Amino acid sequence: MTSKDRILARIRRALPEAPRSPSEAAPAGNIGDIGDIPRDYLHVHGDRTPAESADLLAAHLSEYRAKVHRTDGAGLPALLARLLAARGARTVLVPPALPAHWLAAAGAALVQDRAESTPYELDAVDSVVTGCALAVAETGTIVLDGGPDQGRRRITLIPDHHVCVVRVPDQLVDSVPQALARLDPTRPLTWISGPSATSDIELDRVEGVHGPRTLEVVLVSAQ
């Protein structure tokens, strides 16, 4: 018996098996039809108001060294303009369907997301501004699914500065199970918890190796 066989055997023993006739034996090396997996775990930890969920999301994002800002729809263009100006951004990469008024006050040149753009061209862009699919309060996670206001995954990985806009409470859920229920698993999902970071064996933290060095999240309230 190989290590793989042992692992699969343990999984079979841990999960309830569906009735199976002798002629329907699972092929060697496969888990086979194991029936419905119990999902009786907690889907959310505690009751929160929308405002409390937004506060929890902001707290976790800050712990991960993301910069969190709050505004309403009317104040969003001015806030984005200030963030880009403070960064010194002269060029901003934008997804194909980013609302035009979001960057109406920005002084930077807008660079459209193009399929033929090379990694070197994307790396030369100062900032990228996107929307998101949703955000998870309990984990401080932003989820992108490649929607029209988010663009392809690579545009949020190569530029060094990512500004992500989250509409609250519409795009805010409390937990990962709630997020999975709302997401399309066939889409290219990217889960982001803070800026890119890694550590070596001595636990020296280095940011910006696998994605943006700086992540700024703007929570836009419906009011």
Side-chain angles (χ1 to χ4, degrees):
M1 179 178 286
T2 66
S3 297
K4 177 182 177 181
D5 293 332
R6 294 190 190 94
I7 293 171
L8 294 178
R10 290 174 183 172
I11 294 174
R12 292 189 194 97
R13 290 195 298 269
L15 298 173
E17 290 193 27
R20 183 192 298 277
S21 67
S23 63
E24 297 175 327
N30 291 335
I31 297 177
D33 185 0
I34 55 178
D36 293 331
I37 299 174
R39 302 187 185 276
D40 51 0
Y41 47 78
L42 289 176
H43 281 215
V44 65
H45 301 84
D47 295 324
R48 302 181 191 90
T49 65
E52 290 171 337
S53 295
D55 289 342
L56 183 62
L57 173 66
H60 285 316
L61 285 169
S62 297
E63 288 175 3
Y64 298 144
R65 300 192 187 182
K67 300 176 181 179
V68 182
H69 312 274
R70 301 198 194 209
T71 187
D72 57 16
L76 179 60
L79 174 58
L80 291 177
R82 289 197 302 272
L83 297 181
L84 295 171
R87 178 77 181 185
R90 294 170 295 178
T91 54
V92 180
L93 188 60
V94 295
L98 193 79
H101 71 277
W102 284 13
L103 296 176
L110 304 186
V111 178
Q112 300 300 318
D113 173 24
R114 300 179 301 118
E116 59 270 24
S117 296
T118 68
Y120 297 101
E121 291 173 334
L122 296 177
D123 188 48
V125 175
D126 295 319
S127 302
V128 57
V129 177
T130 74
C132 72
L134 51 78
V136 185
E138 290 183 351
T139 60
T141 303
I142 306 297
V143 185
L144 309 178
D145 68 358
D149 65 342
Q150 301 155 54
R152 282 165 296 192
R153 187 170 185 263
R154 64 179 189 161
I155 74 170
T156 59
L157 293 178
I158 299 177
D160 205 41
H161 177 225
H162 180 194
V163 182
C164 185
V165 177
V166 183
R167 300 192 307 272
V168 295
D170 294 349
Q171 292 183 312
L172 180 59
V173 297
D174 279 311
S175 66
V176 170
Q178 290 177 341
L180 292 174
R182 288 180 50 173
L183 293 168
D184 181 352
T186 66
R187 296 193 63 82
L189 301 177
T190 303
W191 300 67
I192 303 170
S193 296
S196 166
T198 189
S199 297
D200 60 18
I201 195 171
E202 295 181 350
L203 300 182
D204 290 328
R205 179 184 174 100
V206 179
E207 296 179 350
V209 176
H210 308 296
R213 194 186 317 270
T214 303
L215 172 66
E216 301 202 61
V217 179
V218 179
L219 307 183
V220 182
S221 65
Q223 290 77 23

